[in-house]
Amino acid sequence: MHTTAAVGKSIQRKEAWDKVTGIAKYTDDCIVPGILYAKLVTSPFAHAQIKSIDISEAVKASGVQAVITGSSFPILCGVELEDRPPLATEKIRYFGEPVALIVANSEREAMHAAKLVKVEYEPLQVVNSPRDAIKAGAPIIHENLYQYKRVAIEASPEPNTNIAQRIKIRKGDMAKGWAESEVIIEAGYTLPKSDHIAMETRNARAEIHADGQVVISSSTQAPYSVKKMISKYFGIEEGKVTVKTPLVGGGFGGKAPVQLEMLAYMASKSVDGRIVKVANTREEDIVTSPCRLGLEAKIKLGASKNGLLKAAEMIYIVDTGAYTDIGPRLAKAIAVDCTGPYNIENVWCDSLCVYTNHPYSTSFRGFGHAAYTFCIERSLEKLAHKLAMDPLELRIKNAIAPQMTTPTQVKTTLSNIGNLTACLQKLKESINWNEGARIDLGNNKIRAKGISCFWKTSDSPTDAVSGVFLTFNTDGSININSGVVECGPGMKTTLAQILAEKMKMDISRIHVKLEVDTQISPEHWKTVASMTTFMAGRATLRAAEDLIRQLKGLAAVAMRCPPEDLAVAEEKVFLKQDPGIYIAFKDLIHGYKYPNGNAIEGQTLGRGSFIMSHITQLDKETGRGKPGPAWAVGAQAVEVEFDTKEFTYRLLKAATVIDAGRVLNPKTARGLVTGGMCMGLGLGSRESFSYDAQGKVLTTSLRTYKVMHIGEEPKYIIDFIETPQIDSPYGARGIAEHGIIGIPAALANALSLAAQVDLDQLPLTPEYIWKTKTGGIV
C-alpha cells in the first residue's frame, strides 16, 4: 500500500523558503522595544595582573545604566574544569579577555562608555606556544590549578604546571613493535589556532521577569547547556530558566560553549531584570570568544619493508588557550583516534591539553580530527617515500577493517567501522590516480595530487540524551518537536525524513518546529559531533513506534480485531489482509467517535527518548574503553597546479569518498561535504591566528584573517560508499563534519610532492613554501 519513500531522496529543507526569501529570523533579528545594549571592555594584554579598575567616568556617561566588573559576580565556570571567570578579576590570561561590561540605552552609548573604563595592568611573561607551556620554568598561567572544581570525571589537571589534562593510549608491546620495524620515520608538526568565522556572530539576550523567571534568547548549539549553567552558577532553580534558539547562522562548534549568555544574564541582573542584548562585533567574535585549537605534535612510525605498520609513538600537545572549556575532551578525541584509520597493533600516545596565553579553544568542525589527521597523514606520506611505495597502496595495505582493534582496543566490525578500502579504491578512480601523482607541465608549472584518509567517532558524554515529541493536527498531519538546533546541516529535515519513512507517509505532511524552546522542547544534548542523526533519529523512531502502538490499539477496538492484524501507511490504519478496510489518522488521533456519539481514548501523543549504550570512560593508564558508538571513514584528495618559480599554486580539484552508511538526503549530504572541504582548504591554505611576542592577536578582522573566496575554489568531486551502521536510523552514519578532516593533509601532501620539500605546518602559504624550499634566501 505504501508508495512514498522519504529516505534516500533529495528532500527540500523544511526551512528553505524562509531562508531564501529572507523571512527567516535569527536571534539578532529580533527588535524589542526598550531593549538595552551591553558592550565589553577587553584586555589589550595577553598576560597581566589587574591592579585596579576605575569605572567612575563610565558610570556617569550618557545613557549608561550599569557598569559590571568581575567583582560583581565572583564565580568560576567551565565544562570540564571550573577555571574561567565570566569577567576577569585578578588576572588577565589572553588578549581580548573581557574585563568589564557596560549596559546602556544604545549600542553607541555603550561603546563610548567602554572607552572610559580605566584599567591598570601589570604585564606578565607570556606563554606563546604549547611547547613553551610545558618547558621547565615556564610561567604558570593558573597558579591555583589544583583548587579548581572538576566538573567532568576525565578532568585531571597537573598542579604547578600548565597541563590541564593528559590522556594516555597504551596498546600492544612497543618493544616488539620497534623490533619488527625495518623502516622508521620521525617528524614534528605545528598547526595554529584559527576561527570559526560563522556568518552570524555570537549574540544573546537576557530578561528576568518579576516572578524570577529568566528568559535567554541565544544563537547557540547547546540551549540545554545554557539552561543548566545559568541555573548552576547563578543559583536559580532550573525550571525557572528558559532558553530560546531560533535558526542559527552557522556554528561549526563555536556556538556550543556558554559565554555571552552568562554575560547577558549578568547585564540584565544589574538593571533589575530589563532585557539586555550582547552581540559580538566580528573582531570580538574572533579574539574574545573561543576559537579553534592549536596543535604541536611529534610522530614516530615503524613499518616492515613491505609497508605493514608495526608501531606508532605520538605526542600531541593541544593548545587550549587561557581556559580549558572543552579542551580536555579535544585532547581525548585526538588520543582515541590517534593512529588514523589504520591497523597498528603497538601504539604509545600521550595527548596533552595545555594552557597558553592565547584565546581559549572550543569545539570546531571535526573536533580536533583535522589537526591530528594532518600529522599522521603527513607521516604516512614520508613513510611511503622512504619505502619507495605508492602512498595510496600503503594506505590500502594498512586500512582498518573488521576483526581488528582501535587504539582504545574496541573490536571493529563492518557495522561500526565501514569500508575504508572501498573508499580508497573509488577515490583512486575519481581523481585518476593512475595518471601519476606529479606531472611536469613545463613553464615552471607542476600538477600534483595528494591524498589522505580519515575517521571519526563522537567522544560524546556517556549519558548524552535526545528526546522527541510528536503531536497530530486534526487533518492527520504530524508535528515534530525536538531540541535539535537548526544550524545549517538540515537536521530538522532529516528527522522529518526519518519520521515520514517510519510512518509511511508523505514528508510534506510532517511539520517541524524550527525554534528550540527549552520549556517545551524535549532535551537534545547538543547539536554537535555529527551525532544528531544517530541520537535524535533513534528518538524519532521510538516516538513514531509510540504513535503506531497507540493508533493500532485504538483502531483495533474500533475495527474489532487484534492490533497485530493492523498496519499503518498513508495516514491510515488498515487490515493487513484487506487494506481497503481502514480508519484514517484524522478519525483516530483525537479519540474515536462511534456512530451513536460515544467517544473513547483522547489525543494521540508520541514521545521517544534515546541514550547511547555501551559507551565507557577510558582507563587512565591504558586508554582502553569505548569512546563512541561507531566511526565514519573516508578518503580525500587534492590536486594543485604549483608554480616552482613564484611558489604560488592553484586549487584544481578536491575529492572526497565517505562511507556514509546510507545517504538519507543526497543533495544535502553533498552540500555538507562540499562545505567541509571548502573549510578544510581554508585551514590548509590561509586561515590562522598570528601573534606578536606579547601574545597579542594580529589577525583580528577579515582584512587580516583570510578565508576562501568565490572563484578560488576547485572542482569538487564527492562520492559515497554505503555500508550500513546497524544500530543507526536506516543505517546512516554521521557525516556533517567529515568533509573537512583530511583536506589540509591532502593539500600538504600534494604541495610537498610538487615543491619537493616537506611542508609540515599550516597554513601552506606561498611565503612558507618559499622559506622552506629556499631557506628564505632570495
Side-chain angles (χ1 to χ4, degrees):
M1 185 175 183
H2 176 48
T3 56
T4 59
V7 164
K9 285 186 175 181
S10 295
I11 303 294
Q12 180 178 285
R13 293 188 185 191
K14 289 291 185 177
E15 80 281 13
W17 280 104
D18 285 353
K19 285 183 174 178
V20 299
T21 58
I23 294 173
K25 298 297 181 186
Y26 297 81
T27 303
D28 202 27
D29 290 331
C30 186
I31 300 173
V32 182
I35 194 170
L36 301 178
Y37 297 83
K39 295 303 294 184
L40 297 172
V41 178
T42 60
S43 168
F45 295 95
H47 200 194
Q49 292 288 343
I50 299 174
K51 306 298 288 184
S52 65
I53 302 177
D54 182 358
I55 64 172
S56 57
E57 289 187 43
V59 170
K60 295 182 290 186
S62 173
V64 171
Q65 298 292 323
V67 179
I68 307 164
T69 63
S71 60
S72 307
F73 295 89
I75 59 174
L76 292 174
C77 57
V79 180
E80 303 279 318
L81 192 67
E82 292 182 352
D83 61 356
R84 181 177 65 85
L87 293 173
T89 52
E90 300 175 355
K91 190 177 181 182
I92 291 298
R93 294 182 172 90
Y94 72 97
F95 172 79
E97 181 168 8
V99 179
L101 191 64
I102 310 292
V103 184
N105 294 333
S106 70
E107 193 170 15
R108 180 184 61 81
E109 289 169 318
M111 292 174 72
H112 172 72
K115 296 175 182 178
L116 301 178
V117 175
K118 301 292 187 286
V119 185
E120 183 184 354
Y121 300 98
E122 181 184 319
L124 300 171
Q125 186 179 348
V126 168
V127 178
N128 219 2
S129 77
R131 197 161 295 282
D132 287 345
I134 61 174
K135 286 180 179 177
I140 301 299
I141 296 172
H142 289 267
E143 297 86 350
N144 300 321
L145 185 58
Y146 64 95
Q147 294 179 352
Y148 293 146
K149 182 180 178 181
R150 302 180 189 183
V151 181
I153 192 170
E154 300 101 332
S156 55
E158 299 180 12
N160 303 314
T161 73
N162 290 315
I163 300 173
Q165 176 73 301
R166 184 191 301 265
I167 302 292
K168 300 177 183 178
I169 301 294
R170 305 290 187 264
K171 174 189 173 186
D173 183 338
M174 294 307 296
K176 177 175 179 288
W178 294 125
E180 293 175 352
S181 298
E182 299 168 289
V183 178
I184 294 174
I185 64 101
E186 296 184 67
Y189 305 95
T190 302
L191 291 87
K193 281 176 172 278
S194 54
D195 197 65
H196 302 79
I197 305 291
M199 189 175 292
E200 176 199 31
T201 61
R202 283 160 271 212
N203 63 95
R205 299 191 308 274
E207 182 178 13
I208 306 170
H209 294 170
D211 62 356
Q213 296 285 329
V214 177
V215 179
I216 307 285
S217 298
S218 173
S219 176
T220 176
Q221 295 172 251
Y224 297 91
S225 292
V226 174
K227 179 184 178 80
K228 291 171 184 176
M229 291 184 77
I230 294 290
S231 168
K232 176 181 179 180
Y233 293 116
F234 298 109
I236 307 164
E237 184 182 329
E238 194 173 311
K240 289 188 174 183
V241 181
T242 299
V243 181
K244 297 181 179 181
T245 300
L247 300 172
V248 171
F252 316 116
K255 291 175 181 169
V258 180
Q259 185 202 25
L260 295 192
E261 297 85 357
M262 299 188 74
L263 297 176
Y265 171 82
M266 291 159 57
S268 180
K269 183 75 173 176
S270 71
V271 292
D272 299 322
R274 291 180 63 183
I275 187 166
V276 183
K277 180 173 82 169
V278 182
N280 278 347
T281 62
R282 177 59 65 186
E283 289 77 8
E284 288 168 338
D285 219 47
I286 291 175
V287 299
T288 298
S289 288
C291 60
R292 176 179 178 263
L293 64 78
L295 183 71
E296 293 191 22
K298 284 188 176 179
I299 309 287
K300 180 180 178 183
L301 293 181
S304 63
K305 287 182 180 178
N306 65 356
L308 280 175
L309 291 168
K310 295 295 183 179
E313 183 176 306
M314 294 160 280
I315 298 177
Y316 295 107
I317 309 173
V318 173
D319 181 354
T320 196
Y323 301 104
T324 50
D325 191 69
I326 207 75
R329 198 169 292 163
L330 285 163
K332 175 193 170 189
I334 288 172
V336 301
D337 286 342
C338 62
T339 60
Y342 305 108
N343 181 49
I344 308 178
E345 294 299 328
N346 308 294
V347 180
W348 186 102
C349 174
D350 268 11
S351 183
L352 280 65
C353 172
V354 304
Y355 290 112
T356 65
N357 290 122
H358 294 161
Y360 68 99
S361 301
T362 192
S363 51
F364 181 96
R365 195 174 193 172
F367 207 69
H369 282 63
Y372 92 81
T373 296
F374 178 87
C375 306
I376 197 72
E377 291 294 329
R378 285 292 299 127
S379 295
L380 276 175
E381 205 72 8
K382 295 172 194 287
L383 182 62
H385 179 74
K386 195 166 185 178
L387 289 165
M389 189 173 182
D390 183 311
L392 194 145
E393 293 304 319
L394 176 65
R395 288 167 170 85
I396 289 176
K397 182 181 283 285
N398 291 284
I400 196 83
Q403 305 305 311
M404 296 176 179
T405 58
T406 71
T408 63
Q409 301 179 57
V410 176
K411 185 178 178 181
T412 56
T413 67
L414 200 58
S415 172
N416 71 14
I417 208 67
N419 193 335
L420 178 60
T421 299
C423 293
L424 281 162
Q425 289 169 340
K426 183 163 281 192
L427 182 77
K428 184 176 183 179
E429 298 172 11
S430 65
I431 61 165
N432 193 17
W433 182 259
N434 286 339
E435 74 168 344
R438 188 179 193 274
I439 300 172
D440 191 333
L441 303 175
N443 297 319
N444 303 312
K445 297 292 193 300
I446 301 291
R447 184 154 53 88
K449 299 169 185 167
I451 61 170
S452 68
C453 294
F454 63 82
W455 67 343
K456 183 184 183 298
T457 190
S458 71
D459 294 295
S460 306
T462 58
D463 59 351
V465 298
S466 186
V468 166
F469 290 153
L470 302 176
T471 58
F472 276 105
N473 300 302
T474 55
D475 64 356
S477 61
I478 302 176
N479 307 308
I480 180 168
N481 182 6
S482 78
V484 171
V485 172
E486 184 47 73
C487 56
M491 288 313 309
K492 298 283 191 177
T493 304
T494 299
L495 298 185
Q497 286 183 266
I498 290 169
L499 179 60
E501 186 76 16
K502 182 67 177 179
M503 298 300 293
K504 298 181 174 63
M505 61 188 289
D506 195 303
I507 193 170
S508 68
R509 301 279 289 163
I510 306 290
H511 306 287
V512 301
K513 179 176 173 56
L514 291 172
E515 181 188 54
V516 175
D517 182 330
T518 60
Q519 194 170 44
I520 59 176
S521 302
E523 182 172 349
H524 176 70
W525 166 58
K526 294 178 185 179
T527 309
V528 296
S530 301
M531 289 300 291
T532 306
T533 296
F534 180 67
M535 293 180 62
R538 287 287 298 268
T540 299
L541 289 174
R542 288 183 174 181
E545 289 163 359
D546 188 30
L547 281 188
I548 292 168
R549 178 186 58 77
Q550 294 177 63
L551 290 168
K552 284 183 177 181
L554 180 55
V557 174
M559 298 170 73
R560 298 179 178 85
C561 67
E564 57 266 29
D565 286 357
L566 300 174
V568 169
E570 297 177 358
E571 299 181 39
K572 300 171 184 176
V573 183
F574 58 90
L575 278 173
K576 293 177 182 177
Q577 66 268 35
D578 186 355
I581 301 174
Y582 66 86
I583 300 177
F585 281 3
K586 64 183 180 65
D587 296 324
L588 289 170
I589 45 89
H590 279 181
Y592 182 74
K593 187 176 181 180
Y594 288 101
N596 67 356
N598 291 160
I600 57 172
E601 296 294 341
Q603 287 189 62
T604 303
L605 306 170
R607 85 288 182 271
S609 182
F610 180 74
I611 189 168
M612 289 186 290
S613 58
H614 302 294
I615 307 302
T616 68
Q617 305 292 347
L618 302 185
D619 182 273
K620 284 189 177 293
E621 296 305 316
T622 66
R624 188 180 185 120
K626 187 177 180 182
W631 286 257
V633 298
Q636 297 183 293
V638 174
E639 184 175 357
V640 299
E641 183 182 281
F642 178 71
D643 189 315
T644 58
K645 184 178 181 181
E646 300 293 334
F647 300 95
T648 57
Y649 60 91
R650 288 195 306 126
L651 302 168
L652 302 178
K653 294 178 185 176
T656 298
V657 182
I658 299 179
D659 191 332
R662 185 177 180 190
V663 180
L664 301 184
N665 191 324
K667 282 188 177 179
T668 296
R670 289 178 185 277
L672 279 175
V673 175
T674 301
M677 294 166 74
C678 178
M679 290 184 78
L681 290 169
L683 293 178
S685 63
R686 65 204 70 191
E687 291 187 52
S688 72
F689 282 179
S690 59
Y691 316 90
D692 66 13
Q694 286 72 48
K696 179 181 178 179
V697 180
L698 303 177
T699 43
T700 59
S701 75
L702 291 176
R703 291 185 180 89
T704 51
Y705 185 98
K706 300 299 183 181
V707 296
M708 293 285 291
H709 288 76
I710 293 172
E712 297 175 328
E713 296 184 67
K715 176 184 178 181
Y716 293 110
I717 303 167
I718 296 145
D719 216 331
F720 300 100
I721 299 295
E722 294 188 307
T723 308
Q725 181 184 328
I726 292 171
D727 58 343
S728 187
Y730 301 105
R733 301 177 191 275
I735 60 170
E737 300 169 276
H738 298 68
I740 194 174
I741 296 175
I743 289 292
L747 177 61
N749 288 339
L751 288 171
S752 295
L753 181 63
Q756 300 287 272
V757 65
D758 281 332
L759 302 172
D760 294 335
Q761 69 181 51
L762 294 179
L764 299 157
T765 62
E767 182 182 8
Y768 166 60
I769 300 171
W770 167 69
K771 285 183 176 179
T772 306
K773 181 71 174 178
T774 67
I777 300 171
V778 179

